[in-house]
Amino acid sequence: MKKIKLGFIFVVLFVSLVGCAEQKLLEQIGLTTLLGYDLREDDKLSVTAVVRQVNPEFQSNVEVISAENETIRGARTVINRKTSKKIVTGQMRVVLFGEEISKDGIAHNIDTLSKNSETSGGLYVAVVEGETKSLLEYQYQDIEDIGTHIFKLLEQNIKSEQIISSTIHEVAHDYYSPGRDVALPIIKRKEEIVEISGVALFNKDKMVGKLSAENSFYLKLARDFHKAAMFETKIPKESLPASQTQESQEDITVVIDTISTKKKLKLINPDTPEFDMHITVHGRLLEIEANMDMDNPKNVQKLEEEIEKSMSKNLAKILVYCQEVDSDVFGLGEFYRSSVRESNLTYEKWHEMYKDAKVNIKVDFTVLRSGIFE
């Protein structure tokens, strides 16, 4: 019994000492949760850090600190001089790049982040419309911690498959691949709201174009597999039976809850090159702006055909745009390299071929079950 009591006292003392040590440590450091990079007019780099600090009462507050320098480490040193606590990056969850620095090139930043042992592989990377500094320093009425808010904004949209995933691990993989370009979510401030506004398209390390948030679904459809995403498309009124659309607008909006998708890609001509892309989508019809009788198999079949046409058309349009800006975010080059033996594919060689690549897109859509109609 005496041994048990001594053991209990030892455990209590050990836990108390460890707890005090952790609290003492937190009081001495500032946890950087987000970093924003901008390019200044004099070619200097502007770094804005969102830092969470803990006071002796174990209450935390968030501070946004900015600094300018020629280098990343130089800017961080300046930020350190502006705070009484040592800045650490072990809890960093998001890195943002302003639009100008994204167009100028982010290779050095991606290389530094991916090789930093303190950086988590799950760190999200995104682009900001305009400058990150103004977005982070804005005094939001309903957002207490802008760093955590942006992290949760990206996390929930990526998990619900509304936007492509952009962890530093995935971005570094695409950046170092000779046959696939980087794509990053774009966020912007709209009055008091911070929202995802689209996807930035890169050629190697430079931003060369962008897609709207609505079109980002099609990019993800062609890159990855969907399990639960929702998307909206429009169908011309005249393409559906007139008896079912008498009171509808010229373009009928259809909302689909994607249950599952499957993609097959085949290289049918390595010289052009030419690909067949076949995408199968099984989705639930959530809403349609027409009084259609969905118990009638002919109506369902007609709707499926029109959705297939609409999806194929949108995908083809996005692919052409990506070729125009010379960004292979679909990863066609990666597939080409794995399909052609001894292709010795380099980034430059593939992009010479990519601009003339032909992709035959076919979408098969099936309504699994209907939901709510309006």
Side-chain angles (χ1 to χ4, degrees), residues 54-160:
V54 180
N55 62 26
E57 287 74 37
F58 219 62
Q59 295 173 327
S60 65
N61 68 294
V62 175
E63 196 172 357
V64 179
I65 310 169
S66 295
E68 293 180 13
N69 202 285
E70 282 78 11
T71 65
I72 295 174
R73 292 194 180 279
R76 287 185 184 177
T77 302
V78 177
I79 288 175
N80 256 312
R81 289 203 293 265
K82 292 183 177 181
T83 177
S84 59
K85 298 181 179 182
K86 182 182 178 183
I87 302 295
V88 297
T89 57
Q91 294 298 314
M92 193 162 66
R93 295 176 169 183
V94 180
V95 166
L96 300 177
F97 294 106
E99 214 162 339
E100 285 304 312
I101 194 172
S102 298
K103 291 175 180 175
D104 189 64
I106 57 174
H108 177 66
N109 308 74
I110 296 298
D111 189 60
T112 304
L113 287 167
S114 61
K115 292 177 180 174
N116 187 346
S117 59
E118 291 185 0
T119 302
S120 163
L123 174 113
Y124 290 129
V125 184
V127 171
V128 170
E129 272 192 38
E131 289 192 339
T132 67
K133 188 172 185 287
S134 57
L135 180 138
L136 297 172
E137 288 185 340
Y138 184 81
Q139 298 295 311
Y140 298 91
Q141 293 180 6
D142 299 320
I143 301 175
E144 183 182 347
D145 182 346
I146 186 64
T148 301
H149 182 81
I150 291 176
F151 168 71
K152 290 183 176 176
L153 173 75
L154 290 168
E155 184 184 51
Q156 74 94 0
N157 277 283
I158 288 170
K159 285 187 174 178
S160 62

Side-chain angles (χ1 to χ4, degrees), residues 279-340:
I279 298 176
T280 305
V281 184
H282 290 173
R284 180 178 57 175
L285 182 61
L286 285 184
E287 189 174 331
I288 180 170
E289 289 182 325
N291 294 317
M292 289 193 69
D293 177 11
M294 298 305 292
D295 290 330
N296 185 334
K298 289 184 179 178
N299 287 343
V300 174
Q301 184 181 355
K302 185 62 180 170
L303 186 62
E304 288 175 339
E305 290 172 0
E306 293 306 318
I307 291 174
E308 288 169 359
K309 286 181 189 174
S310 174
M311 293 180 77
S312 299
K313 183 180 173 184
N314 287 332
L315 263 173
K317 192 175 172 183
I318 290 169
L319 179 67
V320 168
Y321 173 71
C322 290
Q323 285 180 292
E324 285 174 355
V325 298
D326 199 16
S327 177
D328 181 14
V329 288
F330 296 96
L332 294 175
E334 201 169 76
F335 187 80
Y336 181 93
R337 185 167 62 92
S338 63
S339 304
V340 180

Side-chain angles (χ1 to χ4, degrees), residues 18-259:
V18 170
C20 290
E22 287 181 348
Q23 183 169 346
K24 191 70 178 174
L25 181 63
L26 285 174
E27 290 173 14
Q28 296 170 353
I29 61 175
L31 302 172
T32 304
T33 57
L34 184 149
L35 278 177
Y37 297 102
D38 292 305
L39 189 65
R40 305 244 56 96
E41 291 180 356
D42 54 5
D43 286 339
K44 277 190 175 181
L45 191 67
S46 169
V47 179
T48 305
V50 179
V51 182
R52 177 170 285 278
Q53 303 188 36
V54 180
N55 62 26
E57 287 74 37
F58 219 62
Q59 295 173 327
S60 65
N61 68 294
V62 175
E63 196 172 357
V64 179
I65 310 169
S66 295
E68 293 180 13
N69 202 285
E70 282 78 11
T71 65
I72 295 174
R73 292 194 180 279
R76 287 185 184 177
T77 302
V78 177
I79 288 175
N80 256 312
R81 289 203 293 265
K82 292 183 177 181
T83 177
S84 59
K85 298 181 179 182
K86 182 182 178 183
I87 302 295
V88 297
T89 57
Q91 294 298 314
M92 193 162 66
R93 295 176 169 183
V94 180
V95 166
L96 300 177
F97 294 106
E99 214 162 339
E100 285 304 312
I101 194 172
S102 298
K103 291 175 180 175
D104 189 64
I106 57 174
H108 177 66
N109 308 74
I110 296 298
D111 189 60
T112 304
L113 287 167
S114 61
K115 292 177 180 174
N116 187 346
S117 59
E118 291 185 0
T119 302
S120 163
L123 174 113
Y124 290 129
V125 184
V127 171
V128 170
E129 272 192 38
E131 289 192 339
T132 67
K133 188 172 185 287
S134 57
L135 180 138
L136 297 172
E137 288 185 340
Y138 184 81
Q139 298 295 311
Y140 298 91
Q141 293 180 6
D142 299 320
I143 301 175
E144 183 182 347
D145 182 346
I146 186 64
T148 301
H149 182 81
I150 291 176
F151 168 71
K152 290 183 176 176
L153 173 75
L154 290 168
E155 184 184 51
Q156 74 94 0
N157 277 283
I158 288 170
K159 285 187 174 178
S160 62
E161 303 194 53
Q162 296 301 314
I163 200 83
I164 55 167
S165 182
S166 61
T167 63
I168 186 63
H169 176 75
E170 293 164 321
V171 172
H173 171 271
D174 291 350
Y175 172 69
Y176 291 113
S177 169
R180 186 171 167 122
D181 280 308
V182 173
L184 298 177
I186 304 175
I187 64 174
K188 72 171 184 180
R189 181 178 71 82
K190 190 176 180 181
E191 303 293 338
E192 291 289 323
I193 305 294
V194 178
E195 63 181 16
I196 293 175
S197 61
V199 175
L201 310 176
F202 284 75
N203 176 294
K204 201 59 178 173
D205 71 319
K206 292 180 172 58
M207 179 178 164
V208 291
K210 62 174 78 172
L211 297 175
S212 67
E214 291 72 25
N215 282 335
S216 67
F217 166 81
Y218 293 98
L219 173 58
K220 186 168 170 55
L221 186 68
R223 279 169 58 111
D224 310 310
F225 294 99
H226 277 284
K227 291 180 182 175
M230 186 178 74
F231 77 98
E232 186 179 290
T233 189
K234 291 185 182 297
I235 296 174
K237 178 179 177 178
E238 64 271 15
S239 64
L240 296 175
S243 60
Q244 306 288 305
T245 58
Q246 290 174 348
E247 299 178 1
S248 302
Q249 303 286 331
E250 287 305 308
D251 288 330
I252 297 172
T253 303
V254 181
V255 182
I256 306 295
D257 189 11
T258 305
I259 303 300

